[in-house]
Amino acid sequence: MFAIVRTGGKQYRVAAGDKIVIDKIDGEAGASVTLGDVLLAGEGSEMQDLAGFTVAAEIIAQAKADKVIVFKKRRRHNYRRRNGHRQQHTILKIVSVGGHTEKQHAGDTAPAAQA
């Protein structure tokens, strides 16, 4: 079974056991997270109902990407600027695809006994 999830403005195709690198999310290594923004799910050519569909994952590590060097130069003006940037990201291991959560509406309570 696979799912397409959206996190950090990007979309990822995931299946149980996959490792993905996403933009940084809060949490420490070993913590469990739930990715609830599932766009598509299914197995083979069969698609599933997405009501309450979630993807469970475990944080493996919080890391930084390779350094990107930004160099600006304007010729004949003695203008040179060198800058570097390292993007922070989170490495996730997908534990399960297909958990369902019950959505509670505001104001819902237990059903009252009718007389």
Side-chain angles (χ1 to χ4, degrees):
M1 170 160 292
F2 73 94
I4 308 291
V5 296
R6 178 173 40 204
T7 179
K10 300 180 185 95
Q11 298 175 6
Y12 302 92
R13 183 185 192 274
V14 297
D18 286 353
K19 291 182 183 177
I20 59 172
V21 177
I22 64 172
D23 287 341
K24 183 171 172 48
I25 58 175
D26 291 334
E28 296 181 13
S32 296
V33 294
T34 302
L35 305 173
D37 195 3
V38 179
L39 305 174
L40 182 74
E43 188 160 359
S45 62
E46 298 179 19
M47 298 300 138
Q48 302 234 338
D49 181 27
L50 296 180
F53 203 87
T54 60
V55 174
E58 177 184 350
I59 297 176
I60 294 176
Q62 302 283 6
K64 286 186 177 181
D66 294 334
K67 181 172 271 195
V68 176
I69 301 296
V70 179
F71 184 75
K72 298 179 182 180
K73 179 180 179 182
R74 295 194 182 142
R75 47 186 206 158
R76 297 186 298 271
H77 290 280
N78 195 25
Y79 177 86
R80 289 183 291 278
R81 301 292 182 264
R82 182 178 180 273
N83 207 345
H85 175 73
R86 292 185 74 186
Q87 185 69 34
Q88 295 190 357
H89 59 250
T90 301
I91 302 170
L92 291 181
K93 179 175 182 184
I94 306 302
V95 176
S96 68
V97 175
H100 287 276
T101 60
E102 296 296 325
K103 292 192 176 187
Q104 296 238 345
H105 298 286
D108 280 353
T109 59
Q114 303 226 352

